[in-house]
Amino acid sequence: MIHQDKEVKNATNKAKSSCCCSHDEPVHSDNEVHDHGGHDHEHNASGSWFKLFLPSIVSFILLIFGIGLDNYFPQDWFTGYVRIAWYAIAYLPVGLPVLKEAYESIVKGDIFSEFFLMCIATIGAFAIGEYPEGVAVMLFYTIGETFQGMAVNRAKSSIKSLLDQRPDEVHILENNVAVKVKAKEVQIGAIIQLKAGEKLGLDGELLSDFASFNTAALTGESKPDTKKKGETVLAGMINGNTIAEVKVTTAYSDSKLSKILELVQNATTKKAPAELFIRKFAKIYTPIVVFLAIGICLIPMLFVENYVFTDWLYRSLVFLVISCPCALVISIPLGYFGGIGAASRNGILFKGSNFLDSISTIQNVVVDKTGTMTEGVFKVQEVIIKPEFDKNEILRLVNALENRSTHPVATAIHNHVGPIDSSVELKEIEEISGHGLKATHNGKELFVGNFKLLDKYSISYDIDPSSIVYTTIAIAYESKFAGYLTIADEIKADAKETVSKLKSLGVKLTMLSGDKTNVVQFVADKLGITKAFGDLLPEDKVNKVNEIKAKNETIAFVGDGVNDAPVIALSTVGIAMGGLGSDAAIETADVVIQDDKPSKIAMAINIGKQTKKIVWQNITLAFVVKAFVLILGAGGLATMWEAVFADVGVALLAILNAVRIQRMKF
């Protein structure tokens, strides 16, 4: 089993299947755990298959020999107490652990657990002389449990790989000497020396001229990502073939990877409606079937003329085995957990299985433009400054003011103008949401933003903003229009494919942006989006989403900025771009796309649809088969062998169906 930090040690333990009750007790173990009714079956992930199946193998061999001696090679000595002892020994390897679980569950007040059902059924079979069937029921039940443990481990594998991505120690430079220290103790500003093939422990800024990183742990993307000096690098990235130096900019607990791990830890605490229903159903259903079994055994005594107690007891025991709800309460959480794992492997983080359910029914996808459908990496195209102003002076002031903003536009201006002039003194700096920035310099007002900012302060201008295709940054100084900058942003490579995929899923697409309407329309036309709206303030985006909600339609909103957080929170499913996205958007969102690829929106919807489809297949299979065999069992037409299939067989089929999602290509 992989090593886990204390704070993430129980991440996988929280994702537990529950048969017959809904306890969520924390389990402190370094072994893989899956849970039924608050009881833990531990399977060491490093153990061999042979060790896992050894009790079942011993029991199976003894059972086969016993059946052979009973039916095919009868021996005089294989009678009476010898025969009973033989089957009892065959029963013990698989029966003792279940008897122990049943006892512990009763001590904790949970009488009607699956273990209790299995114990009653198998001990009852021994009591009426059906020894082979008693052993067989417990044997196949144990095999089912073992396969279930393996299936759960497989479902967790992609998430476990995340838990091992954050190194415990890093090398920091002290007086130009690399010293190994615990990652948790590293201070912001320290310089990490990252060797070839080494994982970065904390978020930081690259000091080396360039370095190539494997970002698969964060984005699911195997292609190396080359970073240049000054660019952000994240914890969990693996350095390529050169030594790199990174200046730490974020505390260990606040790194992007730590936040991802936190999302994974909490993902299974938010249950899907089907999962919640099955857990509640099992708590009520199990005691009912126990009393029905008692009724099947005793009530016929009052009405049946030739009542034979052992016959009706056998029927009631068959009924008990059939009625165990394992297939439902194992496979359904496993299906959802498999969906979360499949999504994680593809760089999509769901914060709960309930969001897998919600995203599968999405009718509308509303996307932001900048950073979602476009790269969010702007470049200055042209600078138009009126002749009465000093162009260099204006650009120097604009650069200094935009330095206070984290918007990609500010970066584009900084890259174009150059270093910030520290001698520029700006006062009364104010960010006006959806408009831009305002400040004073030597008592004169400076405005940098969109043309709505100039309209707001009644500053006239002599151009038509709608005639400019590119994003435009208007500038005013001394209450006069000073000119403008145009900035262009590239459409993401997979944006057009995204639109096509969403349309094929029957999803309606709308683009909203605070950018100019003609810029938004230009991008929308290139992508094939028919509904696009620009010049929107954050509250306008909220109103547009509310208009769609008023039609009683489900909405997924996809954004990356702080201004998108209110709309993300308002939508049925909020999706944040996790690479360039702001922390506010990521924390508010229900789904996080780690590599900022819009094509993952359609993939997330498809994973949700496939997960829900598999879950309902399992529910239908379990109910139909169990109902049919229960009727046969109550009528005396089904034996323990049919009962074993209805319980363990259906559970295994459901588990195999549930793990199918991890092999799917999306």
Side-chain angles (χ1 to χ4, degrees):
M1 176 62 190
I2 59 169
H3 171 73
Q4 299 176 9
D5 296 323
K6 286 181 182 177
E7 63 198 81
V8 297
K9 189 173 182 180
N10 294 319
T12 54
N13 294 344
K14 291 183 180 179
K16 300 183 288 186
S17 309
S18 176
C19 270
C20 313
C21 77
S22 58
H23 300 169
D24 276 323
E25 301 166 15
V27 182
H28 304 280
S29 171
D30 284 337
N31 291 333
E32 275 311 311
V33 178
H34 58 95
D35 176 282
H36 301 286
H39 305 281
D40 311 315
H41 304 259
E42 300 182 4
H43 296 285
N44 194 318
S46 61
S48 67
W49 282 30
F50 180 76
K51 282 184 180 178
L52 287 176
F53 284 101
L54 183 58
S56 300
I57 292 168
V58 171
S59 183
F60 178 74
I61 291 170
L62 290 171
L63 175 63
I64 291 298
F65 268 99
I67 291 173
L69 292 170
D70 270 341
N71 301 289
Y72 303 105
F73 313 104
Q75 301 292 322
D76 292 339
W77 57 268
F78 194 68
T79 55
Y81 289 114
V82 173
R83 182 170 179 267
I84 295 171
W86 183 280
Y87 283 114
I89 293 168
Y91 179 86
L92 289 177
V94 290
L96 272 179
V98 180
L99 289 167
K100 181 187 173 189
E101 293 283 5
Y103 171 75
E104 290 177 354
S105 128
I106 291 168
V107 168
K108 291 180 180 178
D110 178 25
I111 297 172
F112 298 106
S113 67
E114 58 167 306
F115 314 112
F116 182 65
L117 294 185
M118 288 297 111
C119 291
I120 292 176
T122 53
I123 292 172
F126 266 78
I128 60 174
E130 300 291 347
Y131 311 123
E133 292 180 340
V135 175
V137 168
M138 193 60 81
L139 169 63
F140 288 114
Y141 171 74
T142 302
I143 291 171
E145 285 284 284
T146 308
F147 274 117
Q148 176 203 327
M150 292 167 65
V152 171
N153 287 344
R154 182 173 177 80
K156 292 175 180 177
S157 61
S158 55
I159 291 176
K160 285 193 295 181
S161 66
L162 275 176
L163 295 173
D164 202 29
Q165 292 304 322
R166 192 171 52 173
D168 295 325
E169 297 177 323
V170 295
H171 291 89
I172 64 167
L173 292 177
E174 292 182 0
N175 300 321
N176 291 323
V177 177
V179 179
K180 185 186 284 188
V181 297
K182 290 188 180 296
K184 289 181 180 179
E185 297 172 0
V186 175
Q187 300 296 314
I188 293 174
I191 296 173
I192 295 176
Q193 185 185 74
L194 201 61
K195 298 174 184 176
E198 200 170 25
K199 289 176 189 170
L200 182 58
L202 300 98
D203 295 354
E205 176 188 328
L206 185 64
L207 297 181
S208 304
D209 291 334
F210 65 89
S212 181
F213 292 91
N214 180 336
T215 63
L218 293 167
T219 66
E221 179 62 60
S222 57
K223 184 181 175 183
D225 185 8
T226 300
K227 298 289 185 182
K228 297 177 184 176
K229 185 175 182 178
E231 290 190 330
T232 300
V233 286
L234 303 174
M237 289 183 173
I238 301 173
N239 188 25
N241 53 11
T242 58
I243 293 177
E245 291 184 3
V246 176
K247 181 181 178 182
V248 176
T249 56
T250 308
Y252 182 79
S253 58
D254 295 329
S255 70
K256 187 82 80 175
L257 183 57
S258 294
K259 290 179 180 178
I260 289 170
L261 292 176
E262 191 176 342
L263 296 185
V264 173
Q265 282 179 277
N266 296 330
T268 50
T269 62
K270 297 175 181 176
K271 306 292 182 186
E275 199 172 350
L276 292 171
F277 166 74
I278 290 301
R279 291 171 70 120
K280 290 175 182 176
F281 170 80
K283 286 190 74 173
I284 299 166
Y285 166 86
T286 309
I288 289 173
V289 298
V290 170
F291 289 115
L292 282 175
I294 294 170
I296 288 170
C297 179
L298 301 179
I299 292 174
M301 188 187 302
L302 306 174
F303 305 102
V304 177
E305 187 176 342
N306 298 316
Y307 175 81
V308 179
F309 175 76
T310 53
D311 290 349
W312 288 97
L313 176 60
Y314 182 78
R315 291 186 190 188
S316 68
L317 296 176
V318 169
F319 184 88
L320 275 180
V321 174
I322 299 165
S323 63
C324 185
C326 293
L328 290 170
V329 290
I330 292 168
S331 64
I332 290 170
L334 181 60
Y336 282 114
F337 199 81
I340 291 172
S344 298
R345 194 168 60 249
N346 285 285
I348 304 166
L349 292 177
F350 280 87
K351 292 185 181 179
S353 54
N354 54 329
F355 301 121
L356 271 169
D357 250 15
S358 299
I359 205 167
S360 68
T361 59
I362 288 300
Q363 297 164 285
N364 296 271
V365 169
V366 180
V367 295
D368 181 41
K369 178 182 74 69
T370 308
T372 301
M373 303 304 279
T374 64
E375 294 288 355
V377 179
F378 291 89
K379 288 183 180 178
V380 173
Q381 303 298 310
E382 53 186 350
V383 179
I384 309 296
I385 302 295
K386 288 189 165 290
E388 58 263 37
F389 292 91
D390 182 336
K391 180 178 178 180
N392 291 331
E393 173 67 8
I394 291 295
L395 289 178
R396 193 168 63 93
L397 296 178
V398 169
N399 196 24
L401 180 56
E402 285 288 348
N403 187 47
R404 308 300 178 102
S405 171
T406 57
H407 196 279
V409 166
T411 306
I413 292 171
H414 175 67
N415 290 340
H416 179 79
V417 177
I420 307 298
D421 187 343
S422 58
S423 67
V424 175
E425 288 188 18
L426 297 175
K427 297 178 181 178
E428 300 174 18
I429 298 170
E430 182 183 351
E431 182 169 355
I432 299 150
S433 181
H435 290 76
L437 296 163
K438 171 180 175 287
T440 58
H441 174 65
N442 294 333
K444 300 170 186 176
E445 286 188 319
L446 172 67
F447 299 90
V448 180
N450 53 34
F451 280 92
K452 288 186 291 184
L453 178 67
L454 273 57
D455 293 337
K456 182 179 177 69
Y457 289 91
S458 303
I459 298 170
S460 60
Y461 42 88
D462 55 1
I463 64 162
D464 178 11
S466 64
S467 66
I468 306 169
V469 175
Y470 295 133
T471 300
T472 311
I473 308 300
I475 306 164
Y477 190 51
E478 297 182 75
S479 298
K480 295 176 185 176
F481 176 55
Y484 63 90
L485 307 173
T486 61
I487 293 174
D489 184 16
E490 288 184 23
I491 294 172
K492 288 184 178 178
D494 61 339
K496 196 163 187 176
E497 175 196 349
T498 301
V499 175
S500 176
K501 283 184 176 178
L502 288 172
K503 286 181 178 178
S504 70
L505 288 169
V507 176
K508 291 174 274 187
L509 194 60
T510 305
M511 182 186 286
L512 305 179
S513 179
D515 210 344
K516 288 195 317 175
T517 298
N518 60 334
V519 175
V520 176
Q521 196 58 56
F522 176 75
V523 173
D525 290 344
K526 276 196 166 185
L527 296 177
I529 299 173
T530 51
K531 289 185 180 179
F533 304 91
D535 290 308
L536 299 178
L537 298 173
E539 54 267 33
D540 297 326
K541 290 183 181 181
V542 169
N543 293 335
K544 289 290 182 186
V545 169
N546 277 328
E547 285 176 21
I548 299 172
K549 286 189 80 173
K551 300 174 187 175
N552 291 320
E553 294 184 359
T554 53
I555 305 164
F557 183 86
V558 191
D560 71 315
V562 176
N563 288 345
D564 293 328
V567 205
I568 287 173
L570 181 67
S571 55
T572 312
V573 177
I575 303 175
M577 292 295 178
L580 293 175
S582 71
D583 288 346
I586 291 169
E587 287 172 15
T588 309
D590 308 312
V591 181
V592 179
I593 295 173
Q594 293 172 253
D595 59 4
D596 289 345
K597 288 187 176 179
S599 56
K600 296 291 178 72
I601 302 166
M603 185 184 288
I605 293 173
N606 195 20
I607 289 172
K609 285 182 181 293
Q610 293 300 327
T611 302
K612 193 170 184 179
K613 181 179 174 183
I614 282 171
V615 164
W616 280 103
Q617 284 172 351
N618 284 345
I619 290 172
T620 305
L621 172 72
F623 271 119
V624 169
V625 173
K626 280 184 178 290
F628 179 69
V629 184
L630 273 173
I631 293 167
L632 292 180
L637 300 175
T639 67
M640 279 285 187
W641 301 105
E642 284 86 0
V644 166
F645 172 74
D647 176 35
V648 179
V650 172
L652 283 174
L653 287 174
I655 288 167
L656 290 171
N657 192 36
V659 299
R660 216 166 33 92
I661 194 168
Q662 295 166 74
R663 296 180 178 273
M664 290 181 180
K665 300 291 182 185
F666 297 102

